[in-house]
Amino acid sequence: MLPQEFIRRTKELLHGEYDALETALTSQPPVSFRVNPRKFPVHLLQDLQNPVGNTSGRYEKVPWCETGYYLQERPSFTFDPLFHTGSYYVQEASSMFIEQAFLTIIADAVASTRKPLIVLDLCAAPGGKSTHLLTLLPEGSLLVGNEVIRSRSVILAENMAKWGRADHIVTNNDPIDFGKLKPVFDIILADLPCSGEGMFRKNPTGRNEWSIDSVKLCALRQKRIILDVWDALRPGGWLVYSTCTFNTEENEDNVYELARKLRAEIVPIPVTREWDITGSLRHDIPAYRFFPHRTRGEGFFLALMRKNKGAEDAGMTKTKYKNRKQSASVPAEIKRMLLEPDRFAFFMDGGVYALPEIHKNACSVFSETLDIISSGIRMGEFRSKDFVPSVSLALSSEINPGAFPSIELSYGNAIRYLQKEVILLPENTSKGYILVTYKNIPLGFVKNIGTRANNLYPQEWRIRKRTV
């Protein structure tokens, strides 16, 4: 049952459309995902629909996302090895609309011949929007994905590693910590914690937790978060404000009030009428709402704001960075595990990490203020004299496939590997570290010691379910 006060308020918001919304909230939510263009050949879409031989659905494009698709049925993603390779990310379709906001921003950046962008995804876990941004941003850009809850930041780091891009940092900080930085970000994406009305269909328990007090508290928290991080946004920079809720207090009212307080411009985003996106319901501002009875997705709200260009731009280059143990101490044979090692700076920090050289200064600046969970590619670690390669290296798009012998796994062996069970290798397999693949896409490493192969898949990532 929907809360009575929610019904009353939403009827006032939608007038004659409320019954259609309520019907939509009782239906099955659509299934959607985004492919990773650096890993996922289009011909594998059929395998995604039918990973274990018991499903036969069709897929359709998500119209506002170039790499987004709907599935007719929901397969068992947990038991699809392609899911674990980072070949695609299961994500709610409405939230993929951030692509249109970023295309608007990037078009402006290209027109003004700006350099690659430095971007903050402020409330990033579990990683849907961050992995999306890594696909969208111009070459040479840097993404900082942040999550305030420690356990969720670890999940974020896992999903970023699986996506396979090196141009990112994962942090575990309160938004106010970013406000201590000089204006360094060209874009801040704030997908804000909210009362969750737009997810009632996917999260029925959220209905019982909903209240007007919760709406008011969320609205206040959202404003505080934006005010906390605003000083870290460069003059002329962009803020993408989004929630997954319906009410105006957390959406139009907040955007309108923040824009006035911060003297920011609310910028329109080009949309197509066929998408059936609802405009602003208050204040006559450019804003974009997704209602489940109109669009094929969950509830979502987005507005695009631009900071006044008049303030001083401190930038990243005026800040000194502390020394870190880097390149000289990392053996050349480890560096050659990447396709283009000369593009990377290598760091020793409880393991060996590789970060694009162009981001070395930024990472060091951030490390002065922020709690960095991961950065770039975790190559592996030394255990005695042995260098043990990391699963992050295996999943990276930058790995040099010629650096390791590889073995293609069957579906059954791939699942056993992901469950961290023993797998048998062909008798003629060479000893040492072996890259294991599924449909020629890397899954991770094993160490073949002759009598057996040690499974090096991370214990915390393993599939815990035993059957589909």
Side-chain angles (χ1 to χ4, degrees):
M1 284 288 294
L2 293 168
Q4 288 302 309
E5 191 60 22
F6 167 80
I7 294 173
R8 183 190 66 78
R9 286 161 51 89
T10 310
K11 281 183 175 179
E12 291 178 359
L13 197 65
L14 288 179
H15 306 294
E17 292 188 46
Y18 175 78
D19 288 345
L21 172 64
E22 185 170 293
T23 298
L25 291 178
T26 62
S27 65
Q28 285 295 316
V31 181
S32 51
F33 66 98
R34 278 183 304 100
V35 300
N36 185 339
R38 292 198 177 186
K39 290 190 176 186
F40 197 98
V42 174
H43 72 268
L44 291 182
L45 281 171
Q46 184 58 45
D47 293 319
L48 171 63
Q49 296 175 94
N50 192 12
V52 291
N54 62 0
T55 321
S56 60
R58 294 191 303 271
Y59 59 87
E60 301 173 45
K61 282 293 298 291
V62 174
W64 45 84
C65 177
E66 183 63 29
T67 55
Y69 294 88
Y70 294 105
L71 282 175
Q72 193 175 60
E73 300 176 36
R74 187 178 187 89
S76 177
F77 292 113
T78 299
F79 284 88
D80 180 8
L82 291 175
F83 172 69
H84 299 274
T85 66
S87 293
Y88 64 91
Y89 191 98
V90 182
Q91 184 180 0
E92 198 283 305
S94 299
S95 66
M96 297 181 196
F97 182 70
I98 66 163
E99 178 163 319
Q100 299 305 313
F102 274 78
L103 291 178
T104 299
I105 296 168
I106 292 167
D108 177 85
V110 170
S112 59
T113 63
R114 286 194 66 90
K115 295 178 181 179
L117 303 170
I118 299 179
V119 180
L120 170 63
D121 184 356
L122 184 62
C123 311
K129 295 179 179 65
S130 285
T131 54
H132 196 173
L133 296 185
L134 288 173
T135 299
L136 295 172
L137 292 174
E139 196 69 29
S141 297
L142 175 66
L143 175 68
V144 178
N146 179 69
E147 173 54 45
V148 67
I149 300 172
R150 185 74 177 190
S151 59
R152 285 170 57 83
S153 70
V154 174
I155 295 170
L156 172 63
E158 174 186 339
N159 285 325
M160 296 283 266
K162 288 178 177 177
W163 205 247
R165 297 287 294 270
D167 42 1
H168 74 274
I169 298 170
V170 175
T171 59
N172 172 220
N173 285 87
D174 189 273
I176 200 168
D177 296 332
F178 292 93
K180 300 171 185 176
L181 297 169
K182 294 181 179 181
V184 295
F185 294 108
D186 298 288
I187 309 169
I188 296 176
L189 167 60
D191 186 44
L192 297 157
C194 66
S195 58
E197 297 165 352
M199 303 300 287
F200 279 174
R201 177 164 60 177
K202 292 185 72 174
N203 180 26
T205 59
R207 304 176 185 185
N208 300 326
E209 299 169 357
W210 182 93
S211 69
I212 294 179
D213 286 343
S214 173
V215 169
K216 292 178 179 178
L217 180 63
C218 287
L220 289 172
R221 182 188 297 126
Q222 290 151 1
K223 283 187 286 191
R224 176 188 65 79
I225 289 172
I226 300 303
L227 294 173
D228 281 347
V229 301
W230 190 254
D231 286 346
L233 187 63
R234 283 180 169 167
W238 304 79
L239 185 132
V240 182
Y241 181 108
S242 67
T243 74
C244 58
T245 202
F246 297 133
N247 66 76
T248 60
E249 292 98 319
E250 298 178 69
N251 294 324
E252 290 93 338
D253 293 351
N254 264 357
V255 170
Y256 181 75
E257 183 178 337
L258 286 165
R260 292 185 64 186
K261 183 180 183 68
L262 299 169
R263 295 185 295 122
E265 178 187 6
I266 307 171
V267 180
I269 299 169
V271 297
T272 300
R273 179 176 295 181
E274 287 74 19
W275 298 350
D276 211 359
I277 297 171
T278 304
S280 176
L281 299 180
R282 290 195 65 182
H283 304 297
D284 193 26
I285 59 174
Y288 306 88
R289 287 172 159 280
F290 288 70
F291 284 112
H293 66 290
R294 286 192 169 193
T295 50
R296 195 175 172 187
E298 301 305 295
F300 187 66
F301 172 91
L302 184 144
L304 179 59
M305 302 166 64
R306 191 168 198 185
K307 190 172 186 176
N308 187 295
K309 296 181 181 180
E312 179 186 356
D313 185 354
M316 189 66 78
T317 58
K318 296 183 181 180
T319 307
K320 294 182 180 179
Y321 58 91
K322 63 184 180 181
N323 294 324
R324 303 177 73 187
K325 295 178 182 178
Q326 51 179 294
S327 301
S329 57
V330 177
E333 59 266 28
I334 294 177
K335 297 180 182 180
R336 286 195 291 269
M337 293 175 182
L338 299 183
L339 278 171
E340 300 179 82
D342 292 344
R343 290 200 304 110
F344 290 86
F346 294 83
F347 299 98
M348 303 279 290
D349 188 9
V352 178
Y353 292 82
L355 188 75
E357 179 75 32
I358 58 174
H359 300 320
K360 179 176 67 176
N361 185 46
C363 185
S364 296
V365 170
F366 291 139
S367 69
E368 297 281 358
T369 303
L370 306 175
D371 181 7
I372 295 179
I373 300 296
S374 67
S375 56
I377 306 163
R378 190 174 193 279
M379 302 283 292
E381 63 183 30
F382 287 99
R383 296 179 187 170
S384 186
K385 294 182 180 181
D386 194 18
F387 181 75
V388 182
S390 166
V391 66
S392 299
L393 173 62
L395 296 171
S396 173
S397 301
E398 305 290 344
I399 188 174
N400 176 8
F404 300 94
S406 65
I407 295 290
E408 174 74 5
L409 300 181
S410 66
Y411 173 78
N413 264 339
I415 293 300
R416 282 186 283 275
Y417 175 77
L418 293 166
Q419 291 172 327
K420 204 169 171 59
E421 295 181 357
V422 174
I423 59 171
L424 299 178
L425 303 179
E427 290 184 4
N428 61 348
T429 304
S430 58
K431 292 184 180 180
Y433 293 102
I434 311 294
L435 183 68
V436 294
T437 64
Y438 177 73
K439 296 191 181 294
N440 297 313
I441 303 173
L443 273 175
F445 290 105
V446 297
K447 185 177 182 181
N448 184 26
I449 60 174
T451 57
R452 68 179 188 276
N454 292 338
N455 188 332
L456 300 181
Y457 198 69
Q459 183 76 12
E460 62 275 17
W461 290 16
R462 75 190 189 282
I463 297 175
R464 291 172 171 80
K465 292 172 63 177
R466 307 315 298 173
T467 56
V468 179

